[in-house]
Amino acid sequence: DRVLAVTVAGDGEFLFSASADSTIVKWNAMTGAYLATLTGHTDWVSCLTEGQGNLFSGGWDNTVRKWDVSADKFIAEFLGHQDPVCCLAVVGEVLLSGSRDCTVRAWKIDTGECIKVYEGHNALVSSVIAADPLMYTASWDKTIRCWELATGKVKGSQYKRLDKPVLCLALSHGILYAGGGDQVVRSYIASTMEAVHEMDGHTQPVNALALTDHQLFSASDDGSVVQWLLPDASAQRQDDDMPDPALSRSLTQRILEHPQTGNPRTSSISNRLNSEAQYLAQVDAEDPVPSRKEGWLLKQGQLFKRWSRRYFTLHKGVMVVFSDESQSKPLEHIIMHDVIKATLLDAPAPNGTLFPFTLETIDRVRKLAAFSDKDKDKNGEQEAKEWVGALNTYVENNNLQKKIEQKRAARKY
């Protein structure tokens, strides 16, 4: 299955690759020879990092796992995230993990204890990178944030909002690099978040960055990797060379000196969608679509452009996307107030069994497809027409949307 992450460990001796088949494979980095398979995750393994002589993996099973690099053995499981773990970073004796639950967690590497939860993002945290005493995060909420690692506070002046989701970060010699959905690679002075350069060279979202001393490499959905020549490292360095006295103590000690006040808020997307579904079910309004519409559709991923089978429901002004028919794991929701139009595409797929259509909202265009199933007497073409008709009915009749928005505005959170 697809490879979602790679990292080098063991002083460059080993390469580890993570896959959508829930496994991690270990390779000889010099010869490419297969060495071992690490199993334990129960869903996609989405990110890897190395630190303190260990390998760390994050997955769509909401867990972080710690492995012995040399012995290929599982050591510990770090539990706490409410949604898939999307990114990892090691700083000193602390592991940082970012998740689709909109939080970053700091863990003691030796014990697996969670010692801090950083809250503030409103969407999936796509990248985390740290240079003690600061941490930088990127998110699908279209922001880059700079945090004080010890206190968990966002530095007010070091907050950037862009027009598209931010997907990846890299840091070198005091310069922070960011790539995202607007196809541009940006650089900032890390200490102040002052913009330095914008690098145009891609025609699709930038999804990964890698650095050497004098070069930056950016990978994109357009199928290309662009190599950028960077200024001399000494000229790039913007940070103060004077040592910070606070750094003489371990990061763990400094974090524990600022304990979490109260319980972290439950910002899990799954929990928020379940709450929203319960709320909408109680709204007293006439639904322009008289019956609940639900069923299986194919959905094209925004980043990887891969078609995935998802279960959709449409009721009282909200479309919810689930991973399966049990509707126990919501992945995404679309408020009909944000829908501009739904459009059937002219030509079905070459095999004649897929019938694609687009759903245009205020922030993006989603590509969906109905499909025929002879065993269940399912007509894909008719199914696509029914979905498009139901969606456009909401567009044409927005009284329900107005009533829901009025109630939501008066709702206390």
Side-chain angles (χ1 to χ4, degrees):
D1 213 325
R2 285 184 297 150
V3 175
L4 302 176
V6 294
T7 194
V8 175
D11 294 324
E13 183 178 357
F14 307 117
L15 174 72
F16 290 88
S17 59
S19 172
D21 65 6
S22 308
T23 68
I24 303 164
V25 175
K26 180 181 179 181
W27 312 85
N28 183 305
M30 295 299 294
T31 67
Y34 165 83
L35 298 176
T37 298
L38 310 181
T39 60
H41 281 288
T42 58
D43 209 329
W44 292 7
V45 186
S46 49
C47 50
L48 298 171
T49 195
E50 185 268 347
Q52 299 279 305
N54 301 118
L55 176 72
F56 299 94
S57 59
W60 277 57
D61 55 8
N62 307 351
T63 70
V64 176
R65 297 175 75 88
K66 177 181 176 182
W67 310 84
D68 184 308
V69 169
S70 300
D72 308 328
K73 291 183 179 180
F74 167 73
I75 299 174
E77 186 176 52
F78 299 175
L79 300 174
H81 282 298
Q82 302 298 308
D83 277 321
V85 180
C86 305
C87 52
L88 298 168
V90 171
V91 53
E93 72 284 3
V94 173
L95 174 70
L96 301 170
S97 59
S99 168
R100 202 187 70 175
D101 66 14
C102 312
T103 71
V104 175
R105 286 178 176 259
W107 313 82
K108 291 177 66 175
I109 286 179
D110 56 350
T111 66
E113 176 190 358
C114 180
I115 55 177
K116 181 77 74 179
V117 180
Y118 303 87
E119 299 177 300
H121 282 296
N122 298 311
L124 175 154
V125 180
S126 52
S127 185
V128 58
I129 196 163
D132 195 10
L134 299 177
M135 173 179 72
Y136 302 89
T137 57
S139 170
W140 281 53
D141 65 10
K142 308 175 187 178
T143 68
I144 305 169
R145 302 178 191 230
C146 175
W147 312 70
E148 296 175 353
L149 277 166
T151 66
K153 295 179 179 179
V154 176
K155 301 193 72 173
S157 62
Q158 300 186 3
Y159 177 105
K160 291 292 180 183
R161 177 170 292 280
L162 303 177
D163 294 330
K164 297 286 185 179
V166 189
L167 306 177
C168 50
L169 298 174
L171 180 67
S172 177
H173 301 296
I175 301 295
L176 180 71
Y177 300 90
D182 62 2
Q183 310 167 19
V184 178
V185 179
R186 290 178 167 82
S187 63
Y188 304 91
I189 298 174
S191 58
T192 64
M193 289 301 289
E194 177 186 348
V196 180
H197 294 296
E198 291 188 2
M199 293 170 268
D200 294 303
H202 291 290
T203 59
Q204 293 291 327
V206 178
N207 55 54
L209 296 171
L211 280 162
T212 64
D213 283 343
H214 302 289
Q215 298 174 97
L216 172 70
F217 298 88
S218 57
S220 168
D221 288 357
D222 61 17
S224 71
V225 175
V226 175
Q227 176 184 18
W228 310 90
L229 183 63
L230 301 178
D232 181 72
S234 61
Q236 282 185 270
R237 185 174 297 277
Q238 300 289 337
D239 53 342
D240 192 345
D241 290 332
M242 295 295 291
D244 185 342
L247 301 186
S248 60
R249 292 174 295 121
S250 74
L251 177 56
T252 299
Q253 288 177 318
R254 286 179 279 127
I255 290 177
L256 293 176
E257 287 173 0
H258 299 85
Q260 201 93 34
T261 56
N263 294 322
R265 65 180 175 88
T266 305
S267 54
S268 160
I269 286 179
S270 297
N271 288 330
R272 285 192 282 119
L273 291 189
N274 283 328
S275 174
E276 180 73 5
Q278 293 174 8
Y279 164 68
L280 288 167
Q282 299 169 5
V283 173
D284 181 19
E286 183 179 351
D287 195 332
V289 177
S291 60
R292 179 185 179 97
K293 177 68 178 169
E294 61 182 280
W296 289 101
L297 293 172
L298 296 180
K299 178 179 180 292
Q300 189 178 61
Q302 185 176 2
L303 289 181
F304 299 112
K305 307 303 181 186
R306 180 189 183 186
W307 289 95
S308 299
R309 195 167 177 259
R310 297 286 183 255
Y311 197 80
F312 286 73
T313 65
L314 178 60
H315 183 57
K316 284 198 171 180
V318 62
M319 173 184 267
V320 184
V321 187
F322 297 92
S323 60
D324 56 47
E325 200 168 357
S326 70
Q327 302 178 31
S328 61
K329 187 178 179 182
L331 303 174
E332 180 186 6
H333 78 301
I334 304 161
I335 302 297
M336 293 297 103
H337 182 73
D338 295 337
V339 173
I340 298 172
K341 64 178 177 179
T343 306
L344 280 170
L345 299 184
D346 293 335
N351 60 11
T353 60
L354 295 183
F355 299 88
F357 60 95
T358 57
L359 177 60
E360 184 178 353
T361 62
I362 57 176
D363 63 338
R364 57 180 286 203
V365 177
R366 294 167 175 83
K367 193 170 182 180
L368 308 173
F371 53 92
S372 298
D373 189 335
K374 292 182 179 179
D375 294 336
K376 296 183 178 180
D377 195 26
K378 180 179 177 181
N379 185 313
E381 184 176 12
Q382 181 62 31
E383 188 81 0
K385 289 179 179 178
E386 289 178 4
W387 277 104
V388 170
L391 292 165
N392 283 329
T393 297
Y394 278 110
V395 175
E396 296 162 4
N397 299 272
N398 64 359
N399 289 332
L400 174 69
Q401 309 308 317
K402 290 179 179 178
K403 188 165 186 177
I404 290 176
E405 289 304 315
Q406 289 168 359
K407 285 181 175 288
R408 186 179 284 109
R411 182 183 178 192
K412 294 182 179 179
Y413 290 85

